[in-house]
Amino acid sequence: HQSVLGPTLEAIARDKAAAVRPGVPLVTGVSGVALEVVRETCAARGSPLYLDDDDDPLFALPDGVPLPHPARAANARLAAAALRLLGASEDALRAAVLSPPLPARREAFSVAGRRVILDGAHNPAALEALVGSLEPGFTLLYGALPHKQGEAGLAVLEPHAAAVFLTDAGGEASGLPTHEHSYEPDPSTALRSALAATPAGGTLLVTGSFYLAGELRAVLRAAVSRETSP
């Protein structure tokens, strides 16, 4: 969204920091130039700033909470701090942190003896975080909108994948280098091909676009329902 938010990290941070309200606390885990912008904005508006810190109990997660995904753990720490500042009880905080992840946020399905991970990550930074939580050797089904950083995102994932399948997202031709990998424009057909290429017990990662995730989530849920129906 750089065409709207600005071309630099500082410009994007200033756009986001415009949400700061006078006197209202802000919790954040940003660093570098983004933190400088946030500090400046909070100081100007008299808003208390709370920076994620391992030694600050405000950001501590309840004991025994399993959060294997690093990005989810980081988000949960910010949520915990926000809930405490709002006066929520520790029981409520635990319930919130233990709630299931949002759809298409490393959402897991079991289909035909394969593990399918569905994630809407669609920029290189988000895909770096996603691939860092997976064992290499997965099958990849990837689709991106043509105006997104599709090739850059694929470059992040490709070295970790045993096989790569490309498809379209949002009804638009992706513009990805389809001559280098298996390509099927229809996402449902591509999913069947990618599943067939994934060994039993293996993992298929479906990612690159929320449009793609939204279309294939219904297909995956239907497949799971068929397998579990008596």
Side-chain angles (χ1 to χ4, degrees):
H1 305 291
Q2 286 176 288
S3 60
V4 176
L5 301 177
T8 65
L9 185 57
E10 180 179 358
I12 293 170
R14 291 198 180 281
D15 185 276
K16 300 294 185 181
V20 175
R21 293 293 175 261
V24 177
L26 175 75
V27 296
T28 185
V30 299
S31 59
V33 65
L35 180 57
E36 293 175 13
V37 171
V38 169
R39 285 191 190 279
E40 175 188 322
T41 304
C42 286
R45 301 185 183 183
S47 302
L49 174 61
Y50 297 89
L51 181 62
D52 189 1
D53 184 342
D54 288 339
D55 296 326
D56 188 343
L58 181 67
F59 292 88
L61 296 178
D63 292 337
V65 173
L67 290 172
H69 192 304
R72 191 177 180 209
N75 289 337
R77 288 174 58 82
L78 297 180
L83 286 169
R84 289 188 176 106
L85 288 170
L86 289 168
S89 68
E90 290 299 308
D91 286 342
L93 189 153
R94 174 178 284 275
V97 172
L98 287 173
S99 63
L102 294 172
R105 287 295 193 187
R106 208 176 182 281
E107 188 174 8
F109 300 85
S110 179
V111 179
R114 280 80 170 163
R115 177 176 175 240
V116 181
I117 301 296
L118 184 68
D119 198 288
H122 52 275
N123 61 60
L127 291 166
E128 284 276 11
L130 174 61
V131 78
S133 70
L134 299 173
E135 292 291 329
F138 53 81
T139 303
L140 172 64
L141 175 55
Y142 183 80
L145 295 178
H147 62 280
K148 297 292 185 179
Q149 297 171 290
E151 288 195 52
L154 180 59
V156 170
L157 299 170
E158 188 177 9
H160 305 275
V164 177
F165 292 78
L166 301 180
T167 190
D168 294 342
E172 300 183 57
S174 66
L176 294 168
T178 54
H179 60 283
E180 299 179 15
H181 302 291
S182 298
Y183 168 66
E184 166 55 55
D186 177 66
S188 295
T189 303
L191 176 62
R192 289 194 294 271
S193 298
L195 274 170
T198 304
T203 297
L204 168 61
L205 173 63
V206 181
T207 190
S209 167
F210 274 115
Y211 288 92
L212 177 65
E215 181 172 350
L216 292 185
R217 186 172 188 266
V219 177
L220 290 167
R221 285 169 61 87
V224 171
S225 178
R226 287 194 298 270
E227 290 189 8
T228 56
S229 296

